Amino acid sequence: MKISARHLDKITIFDISGDIDLATSPEFRKALLRELRELKMPRVVINLGAVRYIDSSGVASLVEGLKASRDIGSRLILFGLNRTVREVLQLSRLLKIFEVYENEEQSVAP
Amino acid sequence: MSRSSLLLKMELRSNPEMLCVVRNALGELAAKFGFSEAECRAVVLAVDEALTNIIRHAYLGDPERTIEASFRRILGQGDSRSGDALEIVLEDSGVTANPEKMCGRALEDVRPGGLGLHFIRESMDTVEFSRSNGRNQLRLVKILHVQRPQKGS
C-alpha cells in the first residue's frame, strides 16, 4: 500500500494505492486518525481509486475514521470506489453510512 | 464425497506480510478452477479473512508460527446445488477459538471490527470449524456454479 496526503485549503486528500489489509491497515489508520484527532481537519477526503484490495481491517479503519470525524464535527468523504472496494463495503452493509462521491471535484466542492 | 484431488498445499508463516502472497496465488487458482471474477474475489476475501483471524486470535499476532493451507477439488453438496467445489482447509496450532466469538456481530452495530467472520460466511457455501489434537481446523467450501446452456438455444 502507498499512502500520500495533499492539502487543499482546509481539506486533506489521501491518495491510497495497493492493498489495505492486516499488514498495511495500521499505517492507514494512523494517518487517517492523525488528520482528524490531532490536526482536526474540517474535511478529510480519501481517494480509493487505486486500491486493489481492502479487507475487514481496512473497513474497520474507515469506520474508526468516520467516528472520529463525527466526534469533532468534520466530514470524511470517500471517492473513486472501484468494483472491489464497493463490493466489500456493500458486503459489510456499511456503504450507506459513508459520504461517497464519484470524483475529487465533487468531494472538495464547497 | 466420491472424489478429492489435491490442487495446492502451502505452509506459511503467520506474518501479515504473507497475506498478499496467498491472495495472489489463490486468485490464480480460483480462476483456473473456473470461478467467475466475482466468485474469485469472494474466495480470496474469505481465505484472507480466515488467515487474518488465525494470525490475530489463534497466534495472538506472533508472526513466527505456522499455518497450513490445502486446496482440493471435491464433489460439493450445498443447500440448493451440488457439483465440483473448491475445498480449502486451514490449520493452526494456536489457542482454541472461542465459539461464542465466532458468531460475528449484528451489522447494524456500526463499529470497527467483527466483520471478518461475516465476510467468510457470506462468501462461502460451507464454513466448518473443528479442533483436534491441539490444532484448529477451518474448512471452507465454494461450489462451482456452471452456467448450462438453455434448451433450444
Side-chain angles (χ1 to χ4, degrees):
Chain A
M1 181 195 73
K2 285 185 180 171
I3 179 166
S4 60
R6 293 177 280 136
H7 292 93
L8 186 70
D9 197 11
K10 291 182 178 178
I11 303 172
T12 300
I13 305 168
F14 282 114
D15 296 300
I16 318 285
S17 62
D19 296 2
I20 309 175
D21 65 3
L22 183 65
T24 59
S25 61
E27 181 189 351
F28 173 51
R29 175 182 176 277
K30 185 178 174 185
L32 183 57
L33 294 181
R34 180 176 179 273
E35 295 297 314
L36 292 162
R37 287 184 181 158
E38 293 177 30
L39 303 179
K40 302 198 185 306
M41 295 300 289
R43 193 185 312 192
V44 174
V45 174
I46 305 175
N47 174 8
L48 294 165
V51 171
R52 193 176 62 164
Y53 178 82
I54 185 167
D55 75 349
S56 63
S57 70
V59 176
S61 298
L62 290 173
V63 172
E64 206 169 352
L66 181 65
K67 292 208 164 202
S69 72
R70 287 176 175 173
D71 287 345
I72 63 167
S74 69
R75 292 167 69 188
L76 180 73
I77 294 172
L78 314 180
F79 80 91
L81 275 62
N82 56 40
R83 189 168 50 186
T84 302
V85 173
R86 191 173 287 274
E87 270 179 4
V88 172
L89 284 173
Q90 282 173 334
L91 197 59
S92 71
R93 298 178 202 163
L94 292 170
L95 185 56
K96 60 183 179 293
I97 69 170
F98 290 102
E99 189 174 351
V100 179
Y101 293 109
E102 288 297 313
N103 55 47
E104 183 171 323
E105 188 182 6
Q106 293 170 349
S107 302
V108 301
Chain B
M1 210 179 296
S2 59
R3 357 169 225 166
S4 169
S5 61
L6 181 67
L7 299 170
L8 177 68
K9 193 164 187 174
M10 293 179 179
E11 187 175 294
L12 60 137
R13 285 201 312 155
S14 54
N15 187 326
E17 299 287 343
M18 290 293 106
L19 291 172
C20 65
V21 177
V22 177
R23 286 198 299 271
N24 289 337
L26 179 56
E28 292 287 328
L29 180 70
K32 289 200 183 305
F33 199 86
F35 287 118
S36 67
E37 284 185 20
E39 288 171 326
C40 288
R41 289 194 293 273
V43 171
V44 167
L45 180 65
V47 171
D48 180 81
E49 294 291 349
L51 291 172
T52 291
N53 282 346
I54 291 171
I55 293 169
R56 293 181 61 195
H57 303 302
Y59 288 145
L60 306 172
D62 181 349
E64 301 296 335
R65 305 293 294 274
T66 302
I67 302 170
E68 288 180 20
S70 58
F71 305 84
R72 289 183 171 80
R73 179 189 296 273
I74 64 166
L75 182 62
Q77 201 83 37
D79 291 339
S80 58
R81 54 186 178 152
S82 63
D84 274 352
L86 179 62
E87 179 195 63
I88 300 150
V89 176
L90 304 177
E91 291 187 79
D92 67 78
S93 54
V95 298
T96 311
N98 182 350
E100 289 180 8
K101 288 187 175 177
M102 295 189 70
C103 300
R105 65 170 173 83
L107 292 175
E108 295 72 26
D109 180 14
V110 178
R111 61 174 169 79
L115 283 170
L117 194 58
H118 167 73
F119 286 172
I120 295 168
R121 289 199 167 123
E122 287 287 313
S123 302
M124 305 301 286
D125 292 300
T126 302
V127 180
E128 294 172 346
F129 174 80
S130 62
R131 184 172 173 93
S132 64
N133 301 320
R135 290 175 68 80
N136 297 311
Q137 185 185 85
L138 182 68
R139 178 175 177 267
L140 308 171
V141 177
K142 182 82 170 173
I143 297 171
L144 184 63
H145 183 61
V146 180
Q147 296 279 353
R148 291 184 174 83
Q150 292 180 343
K151 285 181 181 176
S153 62

